């Protein structure tokens, strides 16, 4: 079976079965939608979730900040789980190990994912969707070319379709 088809199945599977726990589901959707890292997930506050014409999150890893679009459903779930938090309070108080264990818990049988592997699977699929010479995945990861990234994710990212 084609490697990218397996990865796409796995991503959809992890997303679907994680619905049992809304907070864990929100974290998984954040990884898939925005390519968030452990540090970016840990540092996310309610203040970082923005509702403009395009839903965005500001992701901070301690050294740099990037603003990326997220899909509407992820936005709604993040707002729901953070409704009782202050603007500067962390949404996800999970350690790196806890985040990895959450993703592993929802991984399909015989294929184990953690935050990094899930993120890399989404990156591989998005890279395959780049029909032009410009590297939009790199723009997402670096927080550059916001308008181009928005157009790209709305055309190519399965969460935005």
């Amino acid at each position: 079976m084609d490697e990218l088809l397996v990865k796409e199945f796995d991503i959809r599977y992890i997303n679907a079965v994680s619905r049992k726990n809304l907070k864990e589901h929100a974290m998984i959707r954040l990884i898939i939608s925005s390519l968030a890292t452990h540090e970016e997930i840990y540092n996310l506050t309610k203040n970082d979730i923005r509702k403009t014409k395009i839903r965005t999150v500001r992701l901070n890893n301690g050294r740099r900040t990037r603003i990326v679009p997220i899909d509407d459903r992820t936005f709604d779930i993040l707002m729901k789980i953070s409704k009782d938090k202050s603007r500067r309070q962390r949404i996800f108080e999970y350690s790196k190990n806890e985040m990895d264990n959450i993703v592993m818990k929802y991984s399909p049988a015989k294929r184990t994912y953690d935050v990094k592997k899930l993120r890399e699977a989404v990156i591989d699929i998005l890279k395959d969707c780049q029909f032009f010479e410009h590297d939009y995945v790199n723009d997402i990861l670096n927080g550059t070319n916001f308008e181009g990234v928005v157009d790209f994710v709305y055309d190519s990212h399965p969460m935005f379709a």
Side-chain angles (χ1 to χ4, degrees), residues 21-31 36-46 49 57 59 74 77-79 81-82 85 89-96 98-99 102:
N21 180 310
L22 195 60
K23 188 171 182 180
E24 293 175 355
H25 184 57
M27 185 195 78
I28 286 170
R29 287 190 70 96
L30 182 64
I31 297 164
T37 64
H38 291 99
E39 295 89 356
E40 291 169 337
I41 295 165
Y42 182 75
N43 291 327
L44 187 72
T45 65
K46 189 175 184 176
I49 307 167
V57 289
L59 298 172
T74 300
I77 293 170
L78 286 171
M79 291 306 292
I81 66 164
S82 65
K85 298 197 179 284
Q89 190 176 2
R90 286 190 171 108
I91 295 172
F92 302 105
E93 298 274 341
Y94 302 131
S95 69
K96 183 179 187 290
E98 288 171 320
M99 289 180 207
I102 289 167

Side-chain angles (χ1 to χ4, degrees), residues 81-132:
I81 66 164
S82 65
K83 71 176 187 277
D84 296 331
K85 298 197 179 284
S86 69
R87 306 226 7 102
R88 294 184 184 205
Q89 190 176 2
R90 286 190 171 108
I91 295 172
F92 302 105
E93 298 274 341
Y94 302 131
S95 69
K96 183 179 187 290
N97 268 355
E98 288 171 320
M99 289 180 207
D100 286 337
N101 287 335
I102 289 167
V103 176
M104 285 180 204
K105 175 170 65 172
Y106 298 112
S107 293
K110 299 181 183 178
R111 289 190 301 276
T112 304
Y113 285 79
D114 57 16
V115 171
K116 183 179 179 186
K117 286 182 183 176
L118 178 60
R119 185 175 182 261
E120 288 172 352
V122 178
I123 289 170
D124 289 345
I125 289 171
L126 291 176
K127 283 188 176 196
D128 188 60
C129 295
Q130 294 182 137
F131 300 116
F132 309 105

Side-chain angles (χ1 to χ4, degrees), residues 45-63:
T45 65
K46 189 175 184 176
N47 196 45
D48 296 324
I49 307 167
R50 301 290 167 93
K51 181 180 182 177
T52 57
K53 180 180 174 188
I54 297 163
R55 310 305 195 252
T56 63
V57 289
R58 181 178 54 208
L59 298 172
N60 178 359
N61 70 3
R63 295 176 303 281

Side-chain angles (χ1 to χ4, degrees), residues 119-154:
R119 185 175 182 261
E120 288 172 352
V122 178
I123 289 170
D124 289 345
I125 289 171
L126 291 176
K127 283 188 176 196
D128 188 60
C129 295
Q130 294 182 137
F131 300 116
F132 309 105
E133 291 182 20
H134 190 80
D135 188 354
Y136 290 104
V137 174
N138 195 47
D139 290 344
I140 295 168
L141 298 174
N142 291 318
T144 57
N145 187 21
F146 183 77
E147 297 298 322
V149 165
V150 168
D151 291 341
F152 172 71
V153 295
Y154 276 96

